[in-house]
Amino acid sequence: MHINAFEMLADPTRRLIVEALRDGERPVNDIVRRAGIHQSGVSRHLRLLHDAGFVSIRPEGRRRVYALQPGPFRELEAWIAGYRRLWEARLDRFGAALEERRNDGAAKEEPGQ
């Protein structure tokens, strides 16, 4: 996985554009309305996202329609999955320690102990 994917999504404007495209393909004017920024800015960021493989462009008459491409998101998901296993293992150990502590506390509170 290229760290470039994180750099690409680090920009808040590009994240707005990705969010605008999450529900399906859109022409640039729809993206401009959803993102709330000027068309020149949206076009520049769409070009960067396209060059990085995050979006595809499909001509539709005189306009262009943009859509998200799954590849870079799958790469990000795969990269994060390795860390998810680490977090889950730590959370499992933490949960086990809490359960043990609860059981010890309950044993001390029982009468006759």
Side-chain angles (χ1 to χ4, degrees):
M1 205 248 354
H2 303 282
I3 199 69
N4 188 22
F6 287 108
E7 292 170 358
M8 189 59 51
L9 295 177
D11 184 276
T13 301
R14 288 192 285 270
R15 285 195 311 271
L16 283 172
I17 292 169
V18 166
E19 286 296 318
L21 292 169
R22 186 166 56 172
D23 293 330
E25 61 181 18
R26 305 248 181 258
V28 72
N29 290 335
D30 285 359
I31 299 168
V32 167
R33 277 193 299 279
R34 287 173 178 252
I37 51 180
H38 296 284
Q39 183 176 349
S40 61
V42 169
S43 295
R44 182 173 60 87
H45 287 289
L46 280 168
R47 189 174 333 111
L48 292 169
L49 287 164
H50 177 262
D51 291 347
F54 278 87
V55 299
S56 64
I57 305 169
R58 181 177 60 81
E60 187 177 86
R62 294 179 51 190
R63 64 184 188 163
R64 293 178 178 189
V65 179
Y66 295 86
L68 293 178
Q69 292 297 297
F73 295 99
R74 286 184 185 133
E75 288 179 24
L76 288 168
E77 183 179 24
W79 187 84
I80 290 170
Y83 291 94
R84 184 179 300 122
R85 286 189 291 274
L86 172 70
W87 300 326
E88 287 172 352
R90 288 181 179 176
L91 288 173
D92 288 346
R93 288 193 305 270
F94 180 67
L98 283 176
E99 187 63 30
E100 184 178 322
R101 197 168 187 190
R102 261 191 231 126
N103 291 339
D104 287 348
K108 289 180 183 177
E109 290 179 7
E110 290 181 15
Q113 292 284 336

